[in-house]
Amino acid sequence: MKNFSTGAAWSLAGRRAAAAMLACLAAGSAHAIECRFRPNAPDQHVVVKGDTLWDISGAFLEHPWCWPQVWGMNRDEIRNPHWIYPGQVVYFDRRGGRLTLTRPGDPDADAGQPPLVRLSPQLRTDALGPDGAVPAIPSSAIEPFLTQPLIVENDTLAGAARIAAVPESRVYLGEGDRIYVRGDLNGATSFQVFRPGKALVDPDTGRTMAYEATFTGTARLVTPAGNGADVHSFVVTRSVQEMGIGDRLLPAPPAVPRNYVPHVPQQAVAARVMAVPSEVNYASQHQVVAVNRGALDGLDVGSVLQLYHLGQTVKDPEGRSKGLLDFAGATLRLPDEQYGELFVFRVFGHVSYGLVMQATVPVQVGDVAKSPE
């Protein structure tokens, strides 16, 4: 994390906006979490291009998501978590035990306002977002999971419209081709096309909760069913994989907010990792996994869960058998071992996607993901 000097004064409005953003790092929680600074925390950190809010907090705190006790804010006060920019300085007020945008002990600085920062003429700062602010988490890692179905829950799949017919001369459908769709469109005109894939099974119950969805493209309604026709006429507007009869359609989702503020779930959540959306069986840092809890279970966008390997059951070397038929003998249940953190960024009813933020060992299907303790 390098430092650099700056060269033009921030406006008062910009200073206030930056202060408001850093206050937003304090996403509140219903749980009391002991928030500790790192023993080797620096006195300050100059924000540079490529930083994320998670990285900046992690430079000072043992748990990057542990911001409420440092900033003393409530989640209801959060307005926009993207108000911090390259060139600004985050200070560690060791006496007050907090982070601040004002240099500790500076009597002339406005309380809660960032210091005036000057931009060096030789440094050019490119925009990192709509207003040049740094992102909360690595956005490139989750972008495909924000704009495509990828997970389709049972009730959604059952009600999805489907491709019922294609022109006889077409083997591979491309942009501009017609498709004929059967089902209720619910007033929508733009759709994503997908093919149901592998079932996602709840490790706790063994019940199929959802299906992985293979995104095949997009389509737009041309003529709704009627006047003797049983199907809707669509035109393919984008094709990324072979599209055909039986593929399903879902309305294109609205734009997903990019303002991610990590926080502990409002209520205790205990989830299990259901799937790793890749060709391998393990996930590592900055990869995505699916868990068997969602909005109806207390999760929302920004929820942070701790990852644990499920404690194994082993034979007790000194345990006695309970009876003649107890061939296995006495056993011991080992504790769950915490090894990483998961940031929830897309939430469905009973299923969610999370980005692995830290992990000392690979994430496996069946691992535990629960509220921080």
Side-chain angles (χ1 to χ4, degrees):
M1 296 183 179
K2 59 184 179 181
N3 292 351
F4 54 84
S5 60
T6 42
W10 288 96
S11 67
L12 179 60
R15 295 171 63 192
R16 287 176 176 170
M21 191 296 305
L22 279 177
C24 289
L25 299 184
S29 169
H31 304 274
I33 302 296
E34 184 179 358
C35 194
R36 294 186 297 269
F37 286 95
R38 292 181 176 276
N40 60 343
D43 293 326
Q44 66 182 55
H45 169 70
V46 178
V47 181
V48 300
K49 181 178 178 179
D51 275 351
T52 65
L53 302 185
W54 190 283
D55 296 333
I56 294 168
S57 297
F60 297 94
L61 299 167
E62 291 187 355
H63 300 293
W65 45 264
C66 189
W67 297 335
Q69 295 181 44
V70 176
W71 296 98
M73 296 289 290
N74 186 283
R75 286 182 62 196
D76 293 338
E77 299 175 83
I78 294 170
R79 292 295 180 267
N80 189 336
H82 282 185
W83 290 336
I84 190 168
Y85 302 87
Q88 291 182 302
V89 184
V90 178
Y91 295 98
F92 179 14
D93 181 355
R94 297 181 184 274
R95 178 175 296 181
R98 64 190 182 97
L99 299 179
T100 178
L101 286 172
T102 301
R103 185 186 299 275
D106 184 354
D108 298 324
D110 295 329
Q113 302 296 332
L116 290 177
V117 183
R118 297 192 174 278
L119 298 174
S120 171
Q122 66 267 25
L123 178 68
R124 178 180 176 181
T125 302
D126 295 325
L128 305 181
D131 58 358
V134 302
I137 58 175
S139 57
S140 61
I142 65 174
E143 193 67 31
F145 297 86
L146 301 175
T147 58
Q148 300 174 12
L150 298 173
I151 282 183
V152 181
E153 296 184 290
N154 294 339
D155 54 348
T156 302
L157 182 63
R162 59 183 173 84
I163 298 178
V166 299
E168 294 183 358
S169 61
R170 297 293 183 183
V171 176
Y172 177 82
L173 296 172
E175 184 177 341
D177 288 338
R178 288 292 181 108
I179 56 176
Y180 303 100
V181 174
R182 187 74 181 270
D184 192 348
L185 304 182
N186 296 313
T189 58
S190 296
F191 288 80
Q192 294 179 329
V193 185
F194 67 95
R195 183 172 302 119
K198 183 177 67 175
L200 298 180
V201 179
D202 189 329
D204 291 328
T205 66
R207 181 173 63 90
T208 296
M209 300 186 66
Y211 292 85
E212 290 184 343
T214 301
F215 178 72
T216 61
T218 60
R220 174 176 52 84
L221 175 66
V222 176
T223 307
N227 298 324
D230 297 321
V231 295
H232 313 281
S233 293
F234 275 74
V235 63
V236 176
T237 53
R238 181 189 177 200
S239 178
V240 298
Q241 290 196 32
E242 183 175 355
M243 191 182 299
I245 294 174
D247 285 357
R248 310 298 178 91
L249 286 80
L250 285 177
V256 179
R258 297 298 196 270
N259 297 338
Y260 303 106
V261 179
H263 56 268
V264 178
Q266 291 277 27
Q267 65 187 58
V269 174
R272 300 280 297 281
V273 175
M274 281 199 306
V276 177
S278 65
E279 299 299 323
V280 298
N281 295 322
Y282 303 94
S284 58
Q285 185 173 352
H286 292 172
Q287 290 186 317
V288 174
V289 300
V291 298
N292 64 339
R293 296 291 185 268
L296 299 178
D297 306 298
L299 289 180
D300 63 346
V301 173
S303 292
V304 174
L305 303 175
Q306 289 181 326
L307 291 166
Y308 295 79
H309 279 322
L310 190 64
Q312 297 180 340
T313 299
V314 300
K315 184 177 180 180
D316 184 351
E318 297 184 2
R320 296 184 177 182
S321 175
K322 297 179 182 179
L324 295 177
L325 299 179
D326 183 12
F327 299 105
T331 58
L332 298 172
R333 169 69 158 80
L334 302 183
D336 298 340
E337 296 291 341
Q338 198 264 330
Y339 66 88
E341 293 167 347
L342 188 71
F343 180 91
V344 175
F345 65 87
R346 190 171 181 186
V347 180
F348 304 87
H350 289 293
V351 180
S352 298
Y353 276 130
L355 182 68
V356 179
M357 298 305 299
Q358 279 103 19
T360 57
V361 295
V363 184
Q364 304 178 42
V365 172
D367 283 355
V368 175
K370 61 184 180 181
S371 300
E373 297 178 346

